[in-house]
Amino acid sequence: MSDGPEAGPDLVEQQGVGVQDTFHRLWTPHRMAYIKGHDKPDGDEEPGCPFCRIPAMDDKTGLIVARGEVVYAVLNLYPYNPGHLMVVPYRHVADYTDLTPEETREVAEYTQHAMKVIREVSGAHGFNIGLNQGVIAGAGIAAHLHQHLVPRWGGDANFMPVIGQTKVLPQLLGETRDLLADAW
């Protein structure tokens, strides 16, 4: 950093980054694992499916918030916002139309309860809730159905995700999991 009350950070020139500008970069190389598809199943097989492996883990390690009879709630490892969780059937099933009546009921009940818990814990103003059915619809793990619940707050879409393509999360996933699990 430069000295002085009005001085900004020192800009370091780097070869190959284009025309120098006044933007600062927040590098998040750990996200390359997600971008490259680390640990994502290649096909429709259960072996290697993260959503099939997670229930065998203890709740803290697996980031599991709650377990039901046929579904579980788990924090997203790559959240869009703090508290972003997913409701996932234990059964390896890809399509919403293939859920049993019991799975459909418990997905709905867990979604409702998760909304109440997240509002209580973090004061969320709203939610984006949805299923991405198939790779073409944006499902990162299309072979195992999972419903996203993304908490939203007024002004949460600031310059970081819009301009910087970066999310700033104020809390570690383990701490978020503990708060939600305790309130569940």
Side-chain angles (χ1 to χ4, degrees), residues 46 49 51-52 55 69-72 88-104 143-146:
E46 289 181 46
C49 173
F51 294 134
C52 290
E69 290 189 30
V70 293
V71 305
Y72 64 98
V88 185
Y90 291 113
R91 186 169 64 97
H92 189 81
V93 58
D95 198 85
Y96 185 75
T97 62
D98 293 331
L99 290 179
T100 66
E102 294 78 21
E103 289 167 332
T104 303
H144 198 135
L145 180 93
H146 51 285

Side-chain angles (χ1 to χ4, degrees), residues 43-64:
D44 293 334
E45 302 83 31
E46 289 181 46
C49 173
F51 294 134
C52 290
R53 287 194 320 254
I54 290 170
M57 299 176 185
D58 66 87
D59 290 356
K60 285 188 180 284
T61 303
L63 298 174
I64 296 171

Side-chain angles (χ1 to χ4, degrees), residues 11-12 54 60 72 82-83 95 105-106 108 127 131 137 141 169:
L11 298 178
V12 177
I54 290 170
K60 285 188 180 284
Y72 64 98
D95 198 85
R105 177 189 51 76
E106 200 165 74
F127 293 88
L131 300 162
I141 301 172
L169 301 170

